[in-house]
Amino acid sequence: MEANTLDLVDRNQKTHKSEKAGENQNSDRISCLPDSIIYHILNFVPTIYVVQTSILSKRWKNIWISLPYIDFDDESVTDATGIEHSDDETLALRNKFRNSVNNFMLRRASSSTMSIIKFQLSTYCQFHGSHINEWISAAIRAGVLELDICIGNIENDLDYRLPSCLFNCKSLVTLKLCVDDVSFRFLDFFCFPNLKDMHLTHVILAKNFHHQLLNCPNLEKLHLDEFFIDMDPVLPSSNTFQDLTAERRSRILSNLDDAFIGMKCNHQSVGREVGRWLGTFIRKLSNVKTLRLSYASIKLLQYSQPCLLNHDHMPTFCNLKHLDLEVGGKDGDVVEILACLLQRSLDLQSLHLRYVFGSSWPRNWHGTLKPEEYLSNCDQHIRKLKKITVGNFWGTEKQIELVRLLLGNLRLEEITVQLHTTSYESLILLRQKLLQFPRLAKLVLLYETSEDEEDEEVIEEIFNVT
Amino acid sequence: MSTAATADASSSGDTTEGSVRLLTLQSEDGEVFEVKETIATQSVTIKGMVDDDCATSTIPVCNVTGRTLAMVIEWWNKHEIGAVSNEKELKEWESQFDTIDDKSDRDDVYDLLMAANYLNIPTLLDCCTSAVAEAIKGKSTDEMREFFDIKSDFDEKEEDALRKENQWAFEN
């Protein structure tokens, strides 16, 4: 936790000193701690246990009511974990969870004026949207700084809208929202003047989302996991929010350090339009130090323009140090986009390629150069790049070909390949194949020795430049 | 420990070791420690004093004994950038504060908590508070009273009334 959030808890509260120091010292030292430290301790304790402390002694009777860190999860509330339950059990679990949160928030709102620093809910249950909105609204009324809500499902998912008070919340510094089983819609217009960390999972965003992000001038971290974009035109806002002027729209997110663009998309429905949208979005992120792109995001970028290297939409990433790309297991087209990103990231220090399963996309090779030429062309640009890691490598033809190209064309310190194979035989075969390629960089192979998960041990083999 | 405790309290002020400035800290019970400024400024409180140019003479660290201050300095030394080679080694070293089943461990953690709070050392405060939190989790009220030596000053009626008021939290 940051030190500044602690300041919200009154540091000047009196220490509850034991009556006599020395020999007669009270052995109950925890009760003598100042409130600010007790709250700091309770930050790490699920809220339901904190409420149980109310009957310990008079000192503890009212501590829970002003609790600044609120954390409800299935396990602590009901002793239940994510495993399957019968319908009756699920219903009971849900009611218990809802009652606990409702009771707590109601009592807190009526008895305490202390701000909520963190409000965290995590449950596998399905809730009606109105309940979720009540909890979020209550937290916002208490000036919440950090909102972290992860819910299994929403009952009325099609009509569900987050509460409008959320979207101009001035206090919010961290916003994490996730619904496991359905996508929910984020509002078209929003403004978070103090927000630093936005983490949305399974969200549907409006077409003007990247412009609206400029209303979050302090944003440092943006993680959009499994999101869809709604390309329908955005209707003018009826409330106080105004859309931005053309001049402001052209700005970038200047404080952004870390971005993950986990776009979801199935290829049948892809239009160039979505790809171009993503291109403009990526331009706004050009200041980042760490960038991670999902497989679908990369494919969409490729689809947006026939030839990426001459692509004006792709910005220069002046500060980018770490790039993390998901690559489809059978995808052979990755070299062009990789070369395109490397040539625009002159400060890059490490690159991580991670193979993922997933539907294969139609072939889209527009390159005018051979793959070798793309890579040897960017070798001269990437002076600071020391290390490439290839993760989840299971050895398809395309995967082996990519490692051959990287080894033979880039002058780096090392290329690490994390091998994931189903049998010992295929591991030996893959290892042989990789070792026969000429190397401009040291090759590090990582693999597990045993198929038995109990005693797995990771082996690291290092092979020098040939 | 690399920091030597000097008995001579009068040698306070702007001493330097190489190009690194040394600060003089004095515990509540009069023990004096010389600490590199770069290390001591892990304390937000001390950093504020250095920034305001108030750290030129001996800095009194009230309410913190020499024994606790030595532990704090050991924490600083371990957490200086480059002091340990990797995160794992640091976590292993920190894990000595994780268990507070013994009363003496508990007392150390309380002492460190008060020092970390006064000196405003976020990493140490987080470490000690989470150790106490781990001990609270999963305990019934009676188990908590026993573990932390908390004497109930409620009579039976009062406790029952409270339990009823927040019944929802006791239904596990």
Side-chain angles (χ1 to χ4, degrees):
Chain A
M1 193 190 52
E2 285 173 35
N4 60 355
T5 54
L6 239 195
D7 293 338
L8 290 173
V9 181
D10 187 5
R11 275 179 176 284
N12 300 321
Q13 280 159 6
K14 268 189 209 153
T15 308
H16 293 251
K17 282 205 170 177
S18 50
E19 303 212 325
K20 271 185 190 171
E23 283 168 17
N24 293 334
Q25 197 179 24
N26 187 354
S27 55
D28 172 14
R29 290 189 61 188
I30 191 169
S31 298
C32 304
L33 294 171
D35 284 3
S36 65
I37 298 186
I38 289 185
Y39 283 131
H40 200 144
I41 292 169
L42 298 178
N43 173 23
F44 300 103
V45 179
T47 300
I48 201 105
Y49 295 128
V50 178
V51 180
Q52 291 173 12
T53 63
S54 62
I55 59 168
L56 284 175
S57 69
K58 285 178 182 156
R59 165 81 178 109
W60 291 84
K61 187 181 161 196
N62 290 320
I63 283 186
W64 69 277
I65 293 171
S66 297
L67 191 69
Y69 309 94
I70 297 159
D71 173 12
F72 283 101
D73 67 80
D74 288 343
E75 213 173 319
S76 63
V77 173
T78 59
D79 273 340
T81 48
I83 22 169
E84 295 277 320
H85 296 283
S86 70
D87 287 354
D88 282 354
E89 280 169 346
T90 310
L91 195 69
L93 201 156
R94 197 171 79 173
N95 288 339
K96 174 92 169 69
F97 196 93
R98 199 181 60 211
N99 281 342
S100 301
V101 182
N102 283 346
N103 277 320
F104 180 88
M105 293 305 274
L106 212 67
R107 178 69 197 278
R108 194 188 191 286
S110 63
S111 331
S112 175
T113 51
M114 195 132 127
S115 298
I116 294 180
I117 294 176
K118 181 160 114 191
F119 184 71
Q120 191 173 2
L121 282 186
S122 163
T123 167
Y124 294 94
C125 292
Q126 167 177 304
F127 285 102
H128 195 275
S130 61
H131 292 298
I132 302 167
N133 285 2
E134 264 173 44
W135 300 332
I136 293 178
S137 306
I140 288 174
R141 279 194 298 272
V144 66
L145 300 186
E146 185 177 339
L147 195 61
D148 182 351
I149 309 242
C150 185
I151 287 195
N153 207 336
I154 301 173
E155 222 164 81
N156 50 336
D157 56 15
L158 286 177
D159 319 309
Y160 177 63
R161 294 285 180 275
L162 286 153
S164 55
C165 63
L166 171 66
F167 291 91
N168 63 347
C169 181
K170 292 183 179 61
S171 60
L172 271 187
V173 176
T174 299
L175 174 63
K176 292 184 183 174
L177 294 174
C178 167
V179 181
D180 279 336
D181 296 340
V182 292
S183 293
F184 63 100
R185 188 158 178 125
F186 206 65
L187 218 69
D188 297 352
F189 295 90
F190 55 87
C191 175
F192 300 110
N194 291 306
L195 196 68
K196 288 188 178 168
D197 185 356
M198 183 190 272
H199 201 131
L200 307 174
T201 307
H202 287 144
V203 68
I204 302 167
L205 302 174
K207 198 178 165 182
N208 66 341
F209 177 77
H210 54 314
H211 292 139
Q212 290 293 307
L213 272 183
L214 297 167
N215 290 329
C216 315
N218 291 304
L219 201 62
E220 290 170 8
K221 193 170 173 186
L222 175 66
H223 275 216
L224 300 173
D225 202 355
E226 310 219 0
F227 74 98
F228 292 93
I229 187 83
D230 176 2
M231 291 307 285
D232 288 344
V234 175
L235 299 171
S237 159
S238 55
N239 56 30
T240 49
F241 294 110
Q242 293 300 310
D243 210 351
L244 301 158
T245 59
E247 186 270 325
R248 284 204 59 196
R249 279 173 176 227
S250 64
R251 292 185 192 172
I252 63 164
L253 291 159
S254 49
N255 289 314
L256 198 66
D257 274 345
D258 181 344
F260 169 45
I261 306 305
M263 198 158 191
K264 242 333 221 193
C265 188
N266 105 35
H267 66 80
Q268 276 94 1
S269 66
V270 166
R272 287 237 163 115
E273 207 193 345
V274 181
R276 271 199 296 271
W277 178 87
L278 190 59
T280 1
F281 186 19
I282 300 268
R283 279 168 74 92
K284 300 242 174 282
L285 313 177
S286 57
N287 236 12
V288 286
K289 296 192 181 87
T290 301
L291 178 65
R292 187 173 144 209
L293 298 173
S294 69
Y295 178 47
S297 310
I298 293 168
K299 296 314 281 185
L300 279 165
L301 281 174
Q302 274 179 297
Y303 271 72
S304 65
Q305 204 73 15
C307 183
L308 274 169
L309 282 175
N310 306 325
H311 184 348
D312 292 336
H313 277 306
M314 192 61 89
T316 303
F317 297 96
C318 301
N319 302 314
L320 192 63
K321 304 267 188 302
H322 308 286
L323 180 62
D324 190 334
L325 303 176
E326 282 180 6
V327 185
K330 294 175 182 164
D331 190 10
D333 298 345
V334 68
V335 170
E336 192 192 7
I337 183 114
L338 186 58
C340 168
L341 286 167
L342 289 182
Q343 290 195 7
R344 286 163 166 75
S345 315
L346 303 183
D347 220 21
L348 197 68
Q349 290 168 4
S350 74
L351 168 68
H352 190 87
L353 300 170
R354 190 202 328 256
Y355 279 107
V356 291
F357 294 100
S359 56
S360 69
W361 291 51
R363 190 167 162 74
N364 185 40
W365 182 256
H366 296 287
T368 44
L369 302 173
K370 285 188 197 153
E372 287 86 348
E373 292 172 316
Y374 278 115
L375 286 178
S376 52
N377 280 353
C378 60
D379 187 44
Q380 53 190 309
H381 295 285
I382 44 164
R383 303 223 175 271
K384 290 188 181 165
L385 184 61
K386 300 267 185 290
K387 192 175 167 172
I388 296 183
T389 311
V390 182
N392 201 25
F393 179 96
W394 68 88
T396 64
E397 218 174 289
K398 302 283 191 194
Q399 293 178 6
I400 295 172
E401 175 62 7
L402 182 65
V403 172
R404 185 186 73 81
L405 288 168
L406 295 174
L407 279 172
N409 293 289
L410 298 179
R411 255 170 282 267
L412 309 172
E413 262 171 32
E414 72 173 65
I415 294 179
T416 301
V417 182
Q418 296 162 341
L419 300 167
H420 275 267
T421 57
T422 47
S423 70
Y424 188 67
E425 289 73 29
S426 56
L427 178 77
I428 297 299
L429 215 65
L430 264 182
R431 185 177 168 280
Q432 270 171 2
K433 276 187 189 161
L434 294 180
L435 287 183
Q436 73 191 10
F437 301 137
R439 296 187 289 270
L440 292 176
K442 186 169 77 183
L443 174 65
V444 179
L445 294 182
L446 292 176
Y447 52 87
E448 280 150 21
T449 46
S450 167
E451 284 160 48
D452 185 6
E453 284 189 13
E454 288 288 300
D455 56 5
E456 65 181 35
E457 192 188 344
V458 180
I459 295 285
E460 184 186 83
E461 283 192 288
I462 301 171
F463 304 95
N464 281 328
V465 177
T466 51
Chain B
M1 204 189 305
S2 67
T3 315
T6 52
D8 182 11
S10 64
S11 71
S12 58
D14 261 355
T15 36
T16 51
E17 183 187 80
S19 58
V20 185
R21 205 169 84 143
L22 294 174
L23 301 181
T24 311
L25 306 183
Q26 185 173 23
S27 71
E28 185 190 48
D29 48 357
E31 250 187 279
V32 173
F33 298 83
E34 283 196 330
V35 190
K36 280 193 279 182
E37 182 186 296
T38 48
I39 286 179
T41 47
Q42 288 176 54
S43 149
V44 179
T45 310
I46 292 180
K47 184 165 191 313
M49 295 172 86
V50 169
D51 289 348
D52 295 343
D53 250 348
C54 302
T56 46
S57 57
T58 301
I59 301 169
V61 187
C62 322
N63 298 323
V64 179
T65 60
R67 186 172 173 277
T68 307
L69 192 52
M71 287 194 281
V72 169
I73 293 167
E74 196 184 345
W75 176 276
W76 284 339
N77 284 331
K78 280 283 175 190
H79 287 76
E80 192 189 12
I81 295 160
V84 280
S85 53
N86 61 47
E87 195 72 11
K88 206 178 148 208
E89 200 183 315
L90 190 65
K91 284 276 166 290
E92 261 173 42
W93 182 82
E94 280 181 11
S95 68
Q96 64 177 299
F97 302 101
D98 284 356
T99 37
I100 54 166
D101 291 344
D102 283 350
K103 191 178 176 305
S104 64
D105 290 339
R106 241 175 356 252
D107 280 339
D108 282 351
V109 165
Y110 291 135
D111 289 338
L112 283 169
L113 264 178
M114 295 305 289
N117 188 53
Y118 175 72
L119 290 168
N120 198 350
I121 310 164
T123 53
L124 182 59
L125 199 58
D126 270 351
C127 177
C128 296
T129 47
S130 78
V132 181
E134 283 306 314
I136 292 177
K137 275 189 216 169
K139 285 197 171 60
S140 70
T141 323
D142 284 336
E143 286 166 336
M144 268 169 67
R145 280 194 191 124
E146 198 191 323
F147 186 89
F148 292 106
D149 242 321
I150 300 170
K151 307 261 180 311
S152 173
D153 44 7
F154 292 124
D155 61 39
E156 218 167 290
K157 259 191 197 161
E158 283 174 313
E159 187 176 325
D160 279 351
L162 266 177
R163 208 182 267 270
K164 221 169 239 169
E165 201 182 309
N166 298 318
Q167 203 181 356
W168 58 273
F170 292 96
E171 279 168 353
N172 270 9

